[in-house]
């Protein structure tokens, strides 16, 4: 498994060194999302997906703004995918180090916002279901002229900054433990999600998450270019999911191994192959740009930014078979074999004896 991750990182690094990749992004942002992969039901990891109505698991990808996959997990259906948002960032060993992470709506959890902030990541998920979201005031006395209705009744939904201050050293110790690998971020976020409101660590993480999410919601509302960037990033990861499924057509796209380790390898092999095709497509696009420039055309970077390396028309998934030799006449063959086959037909010596014995 480490070798697979190293191979993926090598491709990511090579892709980042291509000038053409600058047309798509600078590597500072990443989008995280999962896609269903079919498996057999009779294994420890597979579950029947409520969303897809069939057994399988989830390939959870972290896709750079340059279109390439930085890291891939294979996780069960039905789990809270948001706990893997941070894990993929921490396990990314490539030279591309994003500081902003986008995710789908489920990334709006308070603990995820809090842990991302403490680790130095700017979590900005795609926002839906606004009516269900709560904005929090810094104090009971705080009121706003134009947006006060977003915060509910005056004096309510107030951040407990005293609790954050009293627990801040402990929160930082937990964050450092996660960064150094002493604690798994997925395990921590599961515990925090199911944590007791009487636990000071849980409530402190919740309060920090409320602060950060409120700020991010206000940014999302007020910044139209930001909303476009979030939409573009999440569209890229969804396009990657479709592209990787198109490439992983073997066995009808079904993971046939029931061993969880081998299932994880299959998901990573698929990501590695997808990255290799993305890198090859990027090289082809760059070569075409050079040809156009040699012909005197002026290439606008804005035009290149609208080209995706998720190209399939020129790829022969089943290989290429030569047919130019079909018209050649083969050499004459010799039908003769120096073997007496007459005993097999019953007309050789001993045939009567067999008949009598029968």
């Amino acid at each position: 498994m480490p070798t697979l991750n190293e191979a993926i990182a090598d491709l990511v690094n090579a892709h980042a060194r291509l000038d053409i990749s600058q047309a798509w992004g600078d590597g500072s942002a990443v989008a995280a999302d999962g896609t269903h992969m079919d498996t057999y039901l009779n294994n420890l990891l597979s579950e029947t997906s409520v969303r897809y109505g069939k057994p399988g698991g989830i390939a959870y990808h972290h896709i750079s703004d340059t279109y390439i996959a930085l890291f891939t997990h294979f996780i069960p259906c039905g789990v809270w995918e948001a706990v893997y948002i941070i894990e993929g960032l921490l396990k990314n060993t490539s030279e591309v180090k994003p500081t902003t992470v986008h995710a789908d709506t489920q990334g709006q959890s308070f603990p995820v916002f809090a842990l991302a902030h403490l680790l130095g990541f700017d979590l900005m998920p795609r926002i839906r279901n606004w009516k269900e979201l709560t904005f929090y005031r810094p104090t009971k006395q705080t009121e706003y002229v134009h947006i006060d209705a977003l915060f509910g009744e005056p004096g309510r939904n107030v951040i407990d900054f005293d609790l954050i201050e009293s627990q801040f050293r402990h929160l930082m110790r937990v964050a450092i433990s996660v960064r150094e690998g002493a604690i798994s971020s997925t395990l921590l976020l599961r515990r925090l999600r199911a944590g007791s409101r009487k636990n000071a660590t849980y409530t402190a993480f919740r309060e920090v998450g409320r602060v950060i999410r409120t700020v991010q919601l206000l940014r999302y509302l007020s910044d139209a270019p930001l909303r476009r960037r979030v939409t573009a990033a999440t569209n890229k990861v969804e396009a990657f999911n479709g592209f990787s499924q198109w490439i992983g057509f073997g066995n009808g796209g079904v993971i046939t191994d029931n061993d969880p380790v081998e299932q994880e390898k299959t998901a990573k092999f698929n990501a590695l192959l997808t990255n290799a095709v993305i890198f090859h497509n990027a090289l082809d696009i760059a070569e075409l740009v050079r040809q156009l420039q040699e012909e005197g055309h002026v290439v606008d970077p804005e035009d290149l930014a609208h080209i995706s390396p998720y190209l399939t028309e020129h790829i022969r998934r089943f290989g290429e078979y030569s047919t130019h030799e079909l018209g050649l006449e083969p050499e004459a063959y010799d039908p003769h074999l120096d073997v007496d086959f007459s005993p097999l037909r019953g007309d050789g010596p001993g045939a009567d004896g067999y008949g009598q014995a029968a």
Side-chain angles (χ1 to χ4, degrees):
M1 201 77 72
T3 304
L4 265 176
N5 291 332
E6 291 170 3
I8 292 174
D10 287 344
L11 267 173
V12 171
N13 294 338
H15 180 76
R17 298 186 189 109
L18 298 177
D19 284 347
I20 188 66
S21 68
Q22 298 179 36
W24 303 316
D26 58 6
S28 63
V30 66
D33 192 24
T35 183
H36 183 270
M37 296 186 73
D38 293 337
T39 66
Y40 297 140
L41 186 57
N42 187 26
N43 63 72
L44 295 175
L45 190 60
S46 175
E47 295 181 11
T48 299
S49 170
V50 175
R51 179 178 179 183
Y52 296 97
K54 53 185 177 180
I58 300 296
Y60 197 75
H61 304 294
H62 283 69
I63 308 303
S64 169
D65 55 12
T66 60
Y67 286 99
I68 202 162
L70 302 184
F71 196 80
T72 294
H73 281 99
F74 188 67
I75 60 180
C77 292
V79 302
W80 184 38
E81 294 181 14
V83 301
Y84 291 93
I85 292 176
I86 307 299
E87 191 79 356
L89 296 172
L90 298 177
K91 289 186 175 181
N92 166 40
T93 59
S94 73
E95 298 169 359
V96 178
K97 301 298 182 183
T99 55
T100 300
V101 55
H102 304 292
D104 212 340
T105 305
Q106 64 176 332
Q108 297 179 38
S109 164
F110 294 136
V112 180
F113 268 109
L115 185 59
H117 177 72
L118 293 174
L119 292 172
F121 297 116
D122 185 16
L123 174 61
M124 177 52 74
R126 181 163 52 187
I127 309 297
R128 296 177 182 171
N129 304 322
W130 283 90
K131 292 182 179 180
E132 300 175 6
L133 301 180
T134 302
F135 291 68
Y136 290 85
R137 303 174 188 270
T139 67
K140 291 183 177 180
Q141 294 75 30
T142 301
E143 294 185 7
Y144 301 95
V145 177
H146 301 294
I147 60 172
D148 199 65
L150 294 174
F151 296 81
E153 298 179 13
R156 300 191 61 182
N157 302 327
V158 179
I159 299 295
D160 188 350
F161 281 103
D162 291 336
L163 174 63
I164 294 177
E165 184 178 2
S166 66
Q167 293 293 317
F168 192 74
R169 291 176 63 87
H170 183 60
L171 293 178
M172 292 306 301
R173 282 197 296 268
V174 173
I176 292 172
S177 297
V178 170
R179 187 189 64 187
E180 298 302 318
I183 301 175
S184 166
S185 66
T186 56
L187 176 60
L188 173 65
L189 290 172
R190 287 196 194 101
R191 294 281 181 86
L192 291 175
R193 190 190 189 200
S196 170
R197 295 177 181 271
K198 298 180 180 180
N199 182 285
T201 302
Y202 166 79
T203 52
F205 263 99
R206 182 195 63 191
E207 291 303 300
V208 173
R210 285 174 171 176
V211 173
I212 303 304
R213 194 179 79 170
T214 299
V215 172
Q216 298 297 60
L217 291 176
L218 292 172
R219 286 180 59 200
Y220 194 87
L221 278 175
S222 60
D223 192 340
L226 173 63
R227 294 197 296 272
R228 287 193 291 270
R229 289 196 299 272
V230 173
T231 300
T234 50
N235 286 345
K236 280 183 181 179
V237 70
E238 290 173 358
F240 178 92
N241 290 337
F243 187 60
S244 64
Q245 288 177 340
W246 184 86
I247 289 175
F249 67 94
N251 295 318
V254 178
I255 298 179
T256 58
D257 204 300
N258 289 333
D259 183 352
V261 174
E262 296 302 317
Q263 291 174 339
E264 177 87 0
K265 286 182 180 179
T266 300
K268 289 184 181 293
F269 271 123
N270 178 247
L272 176 62
L273 179 58
T274 305
N275 278 358
V277 176
I278 292 170
F279 180 68
H280 190 281
N281 285 345
L283 292 177
D284 286 347
I285 293 171
E287 181 60 29
L288 289 172
V289 170
R290 283 189 287 268
Q291 292 178 14
L292 290 172
Q293 290 174 328
E294 291 174 359
E295 295 171 2
H297 297 279
V298 177
V299 178
D300 189 339
E302 290 291 335
D303 293 334
L304 295 179
H306 292 287
I307 299 175
S308 165
Y310 299 156
L311 305 174
T312 61
E313 292 83 358
H314 63 299
I315 300 174
R316 298 181 178 90
R317 292 186 299 176
F318 296 96
E320 187 176 49
Y321 298 88
S322 175
T323 58
H324 71 278
E325 297 179 352
L326 293 179
L328 299 180
E329 185 176 343
E331 296 180 1
Y333 58 89
D334 184 2
H336 179 70
L337 194 62
D338 191 16
V339 176
D340 182 11
F341 293 101
S342 60
L344 299 179
R345 299 189 298 272
D347 53 359
D352 292 342
Y354 286 126
Q356 293 172 359

